[in-house]
Amino acid sequence: ERGGTLWRRLALSEQCRLIRHARAFWDAHRYRMAPQVVATVNHARNEGRLQLRTGRVIAAQASPGADGIDVAIRLHPRLGAQVVVEHFDLVVSCIGPTHNVTVIDNPFIQALLRRRLAQSHATGLGFVVGHNNALVHAGCETAGVHVIGPLSRGACGDIVGVPEISRQAREVIENLIFSRSALSQTGAGHNIRPPAAA
């Protein structure tokens, strides 16, 4: 809860700077491995079957004349910062899901953007949201469409764990129930369809 409050207090430039410099570190350390997984990893490292190195992939291509992939990696400065090229039989990307809605291959999300019912957050993390997490486009809220969870991460902070998502969902639902109750009491809510969650 405090993390979201602190996140919203940052200027957009500071949010983007934090994502640029610390997101990979944060995502890698956000959760702990189960003890069984730690034991398996340590066993593989002790046997020399697994090496852990910090760096950045800068190129990858099929190995000429052989099966597999050649990957160019720029090692972390503390490892010398040189570029090394390694051959692998198989490469698995474990960077996790993207939260950039402009590149997510989901027809519903793309329809929201195309119909101008939503827009990408400037940080590249999810949608712009307004009051009660309603989707926003060009400064106007999209009535009846709310988003919870990781796709509100740019606006709300680190919303990826079950406790944060549950708290956010409860707040959105309670506000929706309160709003509908208020409309019913004034007689203004007879023709309003139930809100949809995205």
Side-chain angles (χ1 to χ4, degrees):
E1 193 171 348
R2 290 181 182 175
T5 301
L6 292 172
W7 176 258
R8 285 186 286 270
R9 287 179 181 170
L10 292 174
L12 177 60
S13 60
E14 289 299 307
Q15 291 176 348
C16 291
R17 183 176 174 212
L18 188 61
I19 291 166
R20 188 167 59 250
H21 294 292
R23 182 182 174 195
F25 181 82
W26 174 256
D27 286 348
H29 293 82
R30 174 70 167 81
Y31 300 102
R32 296 178 182 175
M33 288 189 285
Q36 300 89 335
V37 176
V38 173
T40 301
V41 168
N42 288 340
H43 185 65
R45 292 180 72 182
N46 292 337
E47 289 188 336
R49 294 184 293 112
L50 173 65
Q51 296 178 27
L52 301 181
R53 288 185 288 181
T54 305
R56 185 180 300 273
V57 174
I58 57 174
Q61 62 183 14
S63 302
D67 290 336
I69 302 170
D70 292 331
V71 180
I73 305 166
R74 183 180 303 282
L75 298 177
H76 191 276
R78 74 169 183 268
L79 299 176
Q82 73 266 29
V83 175
V84 296
V85 178
E86 305 243 356
H87 176 80
F88 298 96
D89 295 325
L90 179 68
V91 174
V92 179
S93 172
C94 300
I95 60 173
T98 180
H99 299 301
N100 184 346
V101 293
T102 62
V103 299
I104 292 177
D105 185 18
N106 179 292
F108 180 64
I109 288 176
Q110 294 309 311
L112 289 172
L113 295 170
R114 189 173 56 254
R115 295 178 60 194
R116 299 180 185 223
L117 299 173
Q119 70 187 67
S120 172
H121 195 272
T123 60
L125 301 179
F127 293 109
V128 175
V129 299
H131 174 69
N132 199 31
N133 282 36
L135 291 182
V136 170
H137 182 271
C140 297
E141 291 187 0
T142 300
V145 187
H146 304 260
V147 63
I148 60 173
L151 291 181
S152 65
R153 195 175 182 188
C156 302
D158 189 46
I159 307 290
V160 294
V162 172
E164 294 89 4
I165 294 173
S166 298
R167 181 170 48 250
Q168 189 183 53
R170 185 176 61 249
E171 291 172 358
V172 169
I173 291 167
E174 287 174 352
N175 283 326
L176 290 173
I177 291 171
F178 177 79
S179 298
R180 287 188 59 76
S181 175
L183 287 171
S184 296
Q185 290 175 8
T186 61
H190 299 300
N191 297 320
I192 296 178
R193 292 179 297 177

